[in-house]
Amino acid sequence: MRIIKKKKYENVVLKFDKLKIISTIDNIKNINENEFQSIIRDGIIKEQKLSIKSPYSLYIEADYTEGELVIEFTGKILKDDYPSLINKDNIRICLSNINELGFCNLNIDGILSDGEVVKADVCQDVIHPDYKDLTKSIRAGVANFNKYLVRNIGDNFIIEKNVQTKSYKRRLTIYDKQQELERASNRNFLNCVEDKDKLLSSFNGTLRFEMNLNSKEQLRQCLNITDTSIKSVLCSNSKPLWDFLDKAITDKSVETVSGNLTDLKNQLLLEHCDYDLVKVEALLRKYCSQKTHISQVMKPYRALAEKLSNNLTPSVKQQLRNLLMEIVIMIGLLL
């Protein structure tokens, strides 16, 4: 007899594609003078810096004036293990791989003990067959267009919380990870891994959800932590990506859109513009006189977009929750 067992993994391990860590100056030794740039004042070395962009991004700074060591790196430092991203189980490997480059010698135990995270890109890779369809549904689900800015920049789909206070700013980016990895800018990285084809295939059909946390206050708020030590950040049980989308996408219940001809015409124009109000406004400006108040012309389209989003969001939110909470359906056989 065939049965279907459902197993839910609610405690998702947080993963990061970038970390910026500040530690004490004592945690760096044997600096390669040929690789580091030295900042000298009055005959005394004040700072030593290393910055490389390829095959992976790495920044190391020894600030002798402040007594600080600054390290910033991305998940690509894991090389063939890049699909794992930076997490609590491999942070030591990341720092070990930096040591193996021979630029300097990092005291890994010391950094893990006193290091503090000041910036991070928290992300999650999900398998989804249709990037355009998913982002189109998300766009239609964001109702408050004053509070949340939704736009496409290049191949990236972006939702940004539109607030003045920096600590409350949020920016979520969704993009096709395999497509991004195949760009020319990543060629050097792919050439330095042992099995390029295997790495690329591991990202087949993968969409990346990525949120930039650019201050300690943002880290504390989004990760629900009281301090930004490496342990607190990496071991947080929060769900920042889902929490952001849950607030950005409305879940109200309203009546279906009426069947009058005006609404139908407006809906067709919205659909033609991929439910992107910026595109709608740009299109309408072509046909409106300069004396026309575009804000008034846009009113029915904004209202209809919000009404449509309210109708669409329950299924969209459930789909996103399933993706980001890693709800897995296990199929087995019981004899």
Side-chain angles (χ1 to χ4, degrees), residues 86-104:
I86 305 166
N87 61 69
K88 64 183 179 65
D89 297 321
N90 64 21
I91 182 62
R92 182 177 292 273
I93 296 174
C94 294
L95 297 173
S96 295
N97 286 354
I98 294 174
N99 273 344
E100 288 179 2
L101 297 174
F103 299 131
C104 60

Side-chain angles (χ1 to χ4, degrees), residues 19-30:
L19 287 182
K20 183 176 183 180
I21 298 170
I22 293 182
S23 182
T24 58
I25 195 69
D26 295 334
N27 289 326
I28 184 170
K29 304 290 184 185
N30 303 325

Side-chain angles (χ1 to χ4, degrees), residues 3-9 322 327-332:
I3 63 169
I4 296 179
K5 297 180 179 179
K6 291 185 179 181
K7 189 173 183 179
K8 295 185 179 181
Y9 298 92
N322 290 352
I327 300 177
V328 182
I329 299 178
M330 308 295 291
I331 302 179

